[in-house]
Structures are given as structure tokens and as C-alpha cells.
Amino acid sequence: MKKNITLFLFSSILLLISCHSKEAVESKVDPTMYYNLQSNNTITFLFSNDERIKEESSYYDALLEFKRQHPDHIQSINFVTEHDDAELARHYEIKTYPTLLVIYDQNVKVRIEGYKESFEIYNMLEGNLIYVDEETS
């Protein structure tokens, strides 16, 4: 009986220590380091969740059309689910799904949240990526 209690306590302590260590390590990791967020690099994130999947089709349509029309402005699109990368969602303070972020030079250049029609998304991308780039050139 005494051995069982000792074994139980020892197992519980190991479990608590391992959980604490994992949390401490996760909070110190910069989630953006897994994505190539360096200067002069554009990266696009579409934050998604299963409950709002029907609202995302307009984002897909707008992104595909925008990439077809302006291939130099969006190199790749990273789909991020709240379950796959919760730390990245916390880093960018994602509260609404879907959310589209276009990041350039480590700064959020475009942020579009919630349901929108594809033409709205396309126009917001064009207005914030094309015309801004022309003004700064």
C-alpha cells in the first residue's frame, strides 16, 4: 500500500513538472520564426476554423484571382487552423474567423476579418497592396 502511494505521488510530480516545462518553453518561442518573416518578404496567412468553413470560400476565390492578376504581390498562402497553430493566432490576436493577414517586412499590411464577398476582399487586397506599392516606388 505504501509503495502504491509513493509511486502515485512520484508519477504525479513528474507529470506536473513536464507540463510546467512545456508551457514555459512554448511561451518563449516566437511563432513567426517558423515562417520566413524576414525583411522584404511577403507572407499571407488565412486563419480558419471548422465552424466558419462556409464563409471562407469567398477568401479562396479572391486570393486565387488576386494571385492570378498580380503574381508578384502574393507568393504563397499559408492556411492556419486554430487547432494547428494556436500560438500564431494568439501572436496576431486573431479573434474572428476567417481572418486574412498579409505581412510585409514583418508588419501586417492587410488585415481582413469575418465574412466578406470575394469582390470586397479582392478590392481590399488591390487597394492595400497594389496602390500602396506604386505610391512608395
Side-chain angles (χ1 to χ4, degrees):
M1 177 78 168
K2 199 172 192 178
K3 286 184 181 183
N4 288 340
I5 293 173
T6 304
L7 181 61
F8 175 75
L9 287 174
F10 183 74
S11 299
S12 298
I13 291 171
L14 284 178
L15 180 64
L16 289 173
I17 290 171
S18 67
C19 290
H20 178 68
S21 298
K22 182 179 177 186
E23 289 175 28
V25 169
E26 283 180 356
S27 66
K28 293 180 184 177
V29 173
D30 180 3
T32 62
M33 72 182 210
Y34 298 110
Y35 301 94
N36 194 15
L37 292 176
Q38 299 171 354
S39 295
N40 300 321
N41 187 22
T42 301
I43 189 161
T44 304
F45 292 115
L46 180 58
F47 290 88
S48 167
N49 76 359
D50 293 338
E51 295 171 12
R52 303 288 181 149
I53 200 84
K54 290 181 181 178
E55 296 177 11
E56 295 173 10
S57 63
S58 58
Y59 282 82
Y60 304 142
D61 294 342
L63 285 165
L64 290 172
E65 181 62 22
F66 188 82
K67 185 156 177 52
R68 190 175 70 74
Q69 294 290 327
H70 308 285
D72 295 338
H73 286 81
I74 293 182
Q75 286 76 35
S76 66
I77 302 165
N78 298 283
F79 296 93
V80 182
T81 65
E82 63 182 336
H83 302 294
D84 291 342
D85 204 337
E87 189 64 31
L88 189 65
R90 273 193 294 279
H91 179 79
Y92 286 110
E93 299 177 356
I94 304 301
K95 306 276 190 247
T96 304
Y97 293 91
T99 293
L100 175 68
L101 297 181
V102 179
I103 300 165
Y104 176 75
D105 199 19
Q106 300 178 357
N107 296 308
V108 176
K109 197 166 186 180
V110 177
R111 183 181 190 109
I112 305 171
E113 299 176 314
Y115 177 76
K116 303 271 189 279
E117 295 290 338
S118 60
F119 73 90
E120 292 176 284
I121 298 164
Y122 183 91
N123 289 340
M124 292 170 91
L125 288 169
E126 195 170 57
N128 287 297
L129 296 177
I130 304 299
Y131 301 118
V132 171
D133 287 348
E134 290 175 358
E135 290 174 4
T136 58
S137 296

